[in-house]
Amino acid sequence: MQTYFYITHMQLSELELIRREKLSQLRALGINPYPADLYPVDNTSKKLKESFEEGKKVIIAGRLMSRRIQGKASFAELQDADGKIQVYFNRDEICPGEDKTLYNEVYKKLLDIGDFIGIEGELFKTQVGEKTVMVKNFMLLSKALKPLPQPRVDADGKVHDAFTDPEQRYRQRYADLVVNPHVKEVFVKRTKLFNAMRSFFNERGYFEVETPILQPIPGGAAAKPFVTHHNSLDIPLYMRIANELYLKRLIVGGFDGVYEFSKNFRNEGMDRTHNPEFTAMEIYVSYKDYNWMMDFCEQLLEFCAKEVNGTSKATFGKHEVDFKAPYPRVTMAQAIEKYTGFDITGKTEDEIREAALQMKIEVDDSMGKGKLIDEIFGEKCEANFIQPTFITDYPKEMSPLCKEHRDNPELTERFELMVCGKEVANAYSELNDPIDQRERFEAQLELANRGDEEATAFIDYDFLRALEYGMPPTSGMGIGMDRLIMFLTNNASIQEVLFFPQMRPEKKKVDMTEDEKLIFNILKVENPIALEALKTKTGLSNKKWDKAIKGLTKSKVASVEKTDGNLVVKTS
RNA sequence: GACUUGGUAGCUCAGCUGGUAGAGCACCUCACUUUUAAUGAGGUGGUCCUGGGUUCGAAUCCCAGCCAGGUCACCA
């Protein structure tokens, strides 16, 4: 028990120990640092600044974020959900009587930056004109035991000591949000985007639904799924990689338009633009085609951009992007011809492979015609589309869920929306011919067997059964929500737009090293013990011994004492 | 996965060819009743990411590993 106590104490920094000490001093004064009572807040920092009234009585609450103490008076900043406001603590205002404890002890000595406090006071303006709350009474609402990072802004608006280390910011997003208002703003915009899309769809009568996240067959996209296991059914289940096939089942079931914000999971690599879980929005509307969906998409995005940023324009890195509709529509063949000079129309697989080789694009025998075209597009064209552009009419082979093009059986009625060289949306005239769909699934299976990792290796027979009951002509679209919000908030990294991006687990620091435990176990048997004897018993090398015994004495588990000229080790 | 940069106090960072670990802010003590990066004086605070190696001596050099960022590849 004792060991545990000392070790845990060792891990606390001086600042943390001081705050714990303050905690017990507060309790000694009869102050509960974590009171249960409701605190009757009637204002926010934002409201106070917007509708300022000299002398108005207000009750606010928030975190203490900075303090400027000048003896018997002090200015501080209180931060609530809306921002910060200056508060003024004056000893004689807070303690009108003889007892000045509340100011001298509680406020000056026992409060810390980061503590939540409630304040009753009156509005006034300082000599410099700063809108301020004159504190008449205050109450500790919650004590902070860990010190926050403290970025400060100087007179020129320059930020000093900003909390910037990405690892710490992502692992401790709570701290990031407290001290970095611009980070909070990103997530406010994220939610605005979701709300904007919802209202756009709802106004048009489309219906928000929920479909399974645990699926027996992971369909609707080509991606490696996470596998889990259901105990009582004793079957494998997969975390969804897409929700497409379920939403189409609902169109079969008779809904005119359904949409879902779908948390998807893909067991693939992580990088600046990929997180294992991410959010897609998928919408399906019956009796429409992909031409209609392009109109719908550009109107949707213009609306969303304006709702989020107040303008259709957005800055992304060095690019200025304008989401104002309409967007250019370019077929894949036109795009390839424009950027490579090669016309793919009517060419055989071998001719295209030859062309790709001449463009120095890596190809292999597992690649079919569609895959080759996709490679050429990805390599030579994609990056050129900065302003929102619809790329249309993808090769059939790449699009197993998409209806064949009405004018060309080698193509499909599909578009992707490119922004800054990246895909933001993907849409089809949905394939609703059950026999064609079955053949496409089988072709995918064959591609998968041929070694194409992107091809789908599962056939969802229940989905085919649904199609056999009849699905009306339907157009569907998926939008990568994380990617879209990256564009709208000018963030190059997906981690900046997710509250809690996936990270490798933090390693727990061991309380005692193996060598320290070895020494400690000997001490438990023989205590005190001569230093030389102890060292011999451990059998440790000089270096290891030195390190281990210093570790123990430092954490005050053991101490070395000199008695009669002999060094003796004993536990503390 | 490859390459690359980094990990030193609560935060931001410095630390040269190896020689007793530093600064600013924060924190603690004192002074200061309208300041705003408040101010003045004094002080405390370190597993230099981890583990090996070289060396009389390693934050520094070498090897291996962990974590993170970036670039590229792969992948939606």
Side-chain angles (χ1 to χ4, degrees):
Chain A
M1 283 307 283
Q2 201 159 18
T3 312
Y4 178 75
F5 174 79
Y6 281 119
I7 297 293
T8 44
H9 253 64
M10 179 187 78
Q11 292 170 334
L12 291 175
S13 70
E14 189 198 14
L15 298 185
E16 291 170 306
L17 289 171
I18 289 168
R19 289 188 178 216
R20 276 167 166 74
E21 175 58 27
K22 289 180 179 180
L23 199 64
S24 45
Q25 287 180 34
L26 283 162
R27 288 200 164 106
L29 285 170
I31 295 169
N32 179 359
Y34 302 104
D37 316 53
L38 168 154
Y39 191 77
V41 176
D42 67 9
N43 258 293
T44 69
S45 61
K46 196 176 165 194
K47 278 198 265 175
L48 294 185
K49 284 185 278 188
E50 279 172 1
S51 52
F52 178 83
E53 266 177 68
E54 187 81 28
K56 187 183 174 188
K57 288 194 180 348
V58 299
I59 305 177
I60 53 173
R63 262 188 213 275
L64 198 58
M65 292 303 281
S66 70
R67 291 205 290 178
R68 297 177 285 279
I69 295 176
Q70 309 159 64
K72 298 176 188 64
S74 166
F75 288 93
E77 279 179 302
L78 193 74
Q79 175 170 291
D80 61 19
D82 288 345
K84 288 181 193 165
I85 186 149
Q86 178 166 274
V87 292
Y88 177 62
F89 288 82
N90 181 299
R91 190 192 68 182
D92 299 327
E93 292 286 341
I94 294 166
C95 312
E98 285 302 303
D99 183 4
K100 306 296 186 188
T101 311
L102 190 60
Y103 181 80
N104 284 339
E105 297 303 315
V106 180
Y107 173 73
K108 272 172 74 177
K109 296 273 169 65
L110 302 178
L111 286 196
D112 283 296
I113 286 169
D115 292 354
F116 281 90
I117 56 173
I119 286 175
E120 295 167 54
E122 280 176 22
L123 295 185
F124 79 107
K125 275 189 188 167
T126 62
Q127 289 177 356
V128 228
E130 178 93 15
K131 291 169 185 170
T132 306
V133 179
M134 166 91 69
V135 181
K136 296 292 184 182
N137 195 13
F138 74 93
M139 182 179 171
L140 177 60
L141 300 178
S142 179
K143 179 95 192 130
L145 294 183
K146 264 180 119 56
L148 284 168
Q150 276 171 267
R152 290 165 315 133
V153 183
D154 67 16
D156 303 326
K158 201 177 158 207
V159 180
H160 298 259
D161 301 344
F163 184 49
T164 50
D165 178 25
E167 176 167 7
Q168 292 204 70
R169 286 182 46 237
Y170 302 151
R171 288 193 194 279
Q172 302 185 47
R173 183 68 92 183
Y174 31 87
D176 190 27
L177 289 164
V178 171
V179 305
N180 286 326
H182 58 278
V183 171
K184 204 168 173 183
E185 187 57 29
V186 169
F187 293 97
V188 169
K189 287 185 172 183
R190 184 178 171 113
T191 295
K192 278 187 182 169
L193 174 65
F194 280 79
N195 290 341
M197 266 195 196
R198 272 206 177 89
S199 62
F200 190 90
F201 296 151
N202 290 346
E203 272 169 27
R204 283 156 183 76
Y206 304 137
F207 193 57
E208 182 167 10
V209 298
E210 292 180 288
T211 63
I213 294 170
L214 285 177
Q215 303 180 349
I217 293 172
K224 292 190 193 95
F226 285 91
V227 193
T228 183
H229 184 262
H230 191 282
N231 288 345
S232 53
L233 292 177
D234 194 23
I235 53 165
L237 285 175
Y238 301 88
M239 312 279 284
R240 74 172 160 207
I241 54 174
N243 56 350
E244 169 156 0
L245 302 187
Y246 284 93
L247 291 181
K248 285 187 194 168
R249 283 170 168 96
L250 295 179
I251 295 292
V252 169
F255 291 101
D256 272 340
V258 290
Y259 70 93
E260 179 177 18
F261 291 100
S262 170
K263 190 71 80 169
N264 294 341
F265 307 85
R266 296 188 181 175
N267 203 345
E268 293 167 353
M270 290 163 56
D271 61 30
R272 219 160 40 114
T273 56
H274 296 85
N275 195 64
E277 60 181 288
F278 63 99
T279 307
M281 189 293 304
E282 291 199 27
I283 181 165
Y284 292 80
V285 185
S286 56
Y287 311 116
K288 309 296 185 193
D289 67 2
Y290 79 138
N291 291 312
W292 177 89
M293 190 59 89
M294 278 188 260
D295 297 340
F296 184 78
C297 177
E298 60 198 12
Q299 282 161 33
L300 171 71
L301 292 189
E302 178 179 342
F303 175 78
C304 289
K306 284 179 178 165
E307 287 292 302
V308 170
N309 286 326
T311 164
S312 64
K313 291 191 171 72
T315 304
F316 187 73
K318 56 179 191 258
H319 302 303
E320 179 87 11
V321 176
D322 194 344
F323 284 97
K324 186 162 181 51
Y327 309 152
R329 300 175 186 194
V330 181
T331 68
M332 185 165 263
Q334 287 165 348
I336 290 175
E337 186 165 14
K338 178 170 178 192
Y339 290 104
T340 69
F342 179 70
D343 184 5
I344 56 170
T345 43
K347 298 289 194 302
T348 65
E349 182 175 317
D350 287 340
E351 286 169 326
I352 294 171
R353 180 173 285 115
E354 182 57 30
L357 280 169
Q358 279 175 10
M359 294 171 206
K360 306 230 183 323
I361 294 170
E362 279 185 42
V363 295
D364 64 64
D365 289 343
S366 81
M367 290 180 180
K369 190 169 169 180
K371 176 81 179 162
L372 289 165
I373 293 170
D374 191 58
E375 286 291 318
I376 295 172
F377 179 79
E379 200 67 31
K380 298 289 175 191
C381 308
E382 209 169 49
N384 296 302
F385 297 104
I386 303 304
Q387 293 304 318
T389 306
F390 292 116
I391 305 298
T392 67
D393 301 350
Y394 281 63
K396 193 169 177 180
E397 199 178 337
M398 302 300 299
S399 317
L401 297 162
C402 184
K403 193 173 265 189
E404 184 178 296
H405 197 280
R406 60 194 81 178
D407 301 326
N408 183 343
E410 290 203 328
L411 302 177
T412 52
E413 298 211 345
R414 172 180 180 179
F415 73 80
E416 286 194 359
L417 178 67
M418 310 298 300
V419 177
C420 293
K422 300 270 189 266
E423 174 205 333
V424 167
N426 181 21
Y428 308 147
S429 296
E430 301 295 336
L431 178 57
N432 61 347
D433 175 344
I435 292 169
D436 189 358
Q437 182 68 81
R438 185 179 297 264
E439 286 167 5
R440 302 266 202 107
F441 278 158
E442 282 160 359
Q444 283 288 304
L445 207 55
E446 206 157 302
L447 280 179
N449 292 338
R450 197 165 142 186
D452 185 342
E453 286 204 345
E454 282 185 47
T456 312
F458 295 88
I459 293 184
D460 188 337
Y461 290 103
D462 176 68
F463 174 66
L464 291 172
R465 178 167 62 189
L467 287 189
E468 284 168 7
Y469 281 110
M471 183 172 87
T474 298
S475 184
M477 173 170 68
I479 291 179
M481 296 300 288
D482 305 299
R483 195 157 284 174
L484 182 55
I485 199 65
M486 285 163 67
F487 285 124
L488 292 176
T489 59
N490 191 18
N491 277 302
S493 163
I494 197 171
Q495 298 167 108
E496 293 290 352
V497 303
L498 299 172
F499 271 131
F500 304 105
Q502 194 58 244
M503 304 285 277
R504 275 206 165 73
E506 284 179 272
K507 253 197 309 198
K508 224 173 92 184
K509 286 192 175 163
V510 288
D511 287 348
M512 267 197 246
T513 67
E514 287 305 309
D515 294 342
E516 285 167 8
K517 279 184 200 157
L518 182 65
I519 297 175
F520 184 70
N521 286 334
I522 297 170
L523 274 170
K524 276 198 288 197
V525 182
E526 227 177 311
N527 183 25
I529 180 171
L531 185 138
E532 274 309 316
L534 178 60
K535 186 183 165 189
T536 311
K537 278 200 172 193
T538 61
L540 291 172
S541 69
N542 285 345
K543 193 163 186 168
K544 282 174 174 253
W545 159 260
D546 191 58
K547 185 152 191 159
I549 193 68
K550 277 179 180 163
L552 288 175
T553 52
K554 189 166 194 176
S555 57
K556 302 201 172 90
V557 172
S559 62
V560 180
E561 284 175 23
K562 202 171 211 175
T563 48
D564 311 329
N566 297 317
L567 287 174
V568 173
V569 181
K570 62 180 190 180
T571 54
S572 305

